[in-house]
Amino acid sequence: MTRQAPLIAELVNLATTRWRGGASIQPLTDEELATAFAAQLGDRTSAALCAAPDAGRRLAELAGELRQALLAERPADQAAHINALIRRYGAQPYLVEDVGQPFHLHFHGSGGTQVDALGGEFATALALIVDGYGPDRFGTCEAHHCEAVYIDLTRNGSRRYCSAACTARAKTAAYRSRRQT
Ligand SMILES: [Zn+2]
């Protein structure tokens, strides 16, 4: 399920982040959001997503719900948000055999559209991350002028930044402020 983590963060960041990597970002229209997020997916899923009715608006909705789950302060609120997403998107486990891959577990939501499918996958992924890593693995980037969310799957839970670029920016800023004092 950990392979979903970067996609979840990317969806939330595309749809809800106003500052990212040190720059302000113009909000995307629903259609732009669908196109930008589809570009992160494999060919088949991407085509299905773009063909889904109302994909952009529903993706924006899903992103908002995921953000609330990621940034809930108390573990009980976090769990309640994630459980609500699992119910809402009708997530259900089933084994799938893709071309060239052995049977593996999917958690597609059962609402029928590609957004429902993603909602089910993402909700379950968050639940499994909390179950496997604990409740403290979601955060927002600590670099200057960045509010992107991240999901921390490091062994010791040491992640503080959304990307390698923000890690480098923060290191440079810390070095400069040390030199000035
Ligand atoms: Zn960042």
Side-chain angles (χ1 to χ4, degrees):
M1 280 332 277
T2 53
R3 71 202 148 85
Q4 307 285 0
L7 280 179
I8 296 171
E10 187 60 23
L11 175 60
V12 171
N13 289 332
L14 281 171
T16 70
T17 300
R18 296 295 159 254
W19 286 90
R20 195 173 182 187
S24 75
I25 297 176
Q26 290 299 314
L28 300 178
T29 64
D30 288 347
E31 205 178 320
E32 288 166 343
L33 172 63
T35 311
F37 187 64
Q40 312 285 322
L41 304 169
D43 286 348
R44 236 178 338 150
T45 322
S46 157
L49 180 65
C50 291
D54 231 4
R57 189 184 57 79
R58 299 216 46 227
L59 271 179
E61 224 170 73
L62 171 60
E65 293 161 349
L66 288 167
R67 186 178 181 97
Q68 277 192 314
L70 290 177
L71 301 184
E73 289 202 357
R74 295 168 48 231
D77 294 334
Q78 183 184 73
H81 279 299
I82 296 172
N83 285 337
L85 277 166
I86 289 173
R87 277 196 306 277
R88 172 164 180 170
Y89 288 94
Q92 50 186 342
Y94 62 97
L95 285 164
V96 181
E97 185 183 31
D98 285 329
V99 181
Q101 279 190 60
F103 276 100
H104 57 281
L105 204 50
H106 274 246
F107 295 92
H108 275 204
S110 52
T113 75
Q114 192 60 40
V115 178
D116 293 316
L118 286 169
E121 291 283 356
F122 289 176
T124 310
L126 293 187
L128 288 171
I129 289 165
V130 170
D131 183 66
Y133 293 82
D136 304 324
R137 293 310 187 110
F138 312 126
T140 50
C141 184
E142 289 181 7
H144 186 56
H145 279 169
C146 186
E147 54 177 32
V149 302
Y150 62 81
I151 295 176
D152 182 358
L153 301 179
T154 59
R155 195 143 45 119
N156 55 359
S158 58
R159 188 161 174 180
R160 298 291 174 265
Y161 305 105
C162 70
S163 60
C166 274
T167 306
R169 284 198 307 123
K171 269 192 189 146
T172 309
Y175 175 73
R176 285 211 186 108
S177 76
R178 269 200 309 275
R179 294 235 311 187
Q180 275 162 15
T181 52

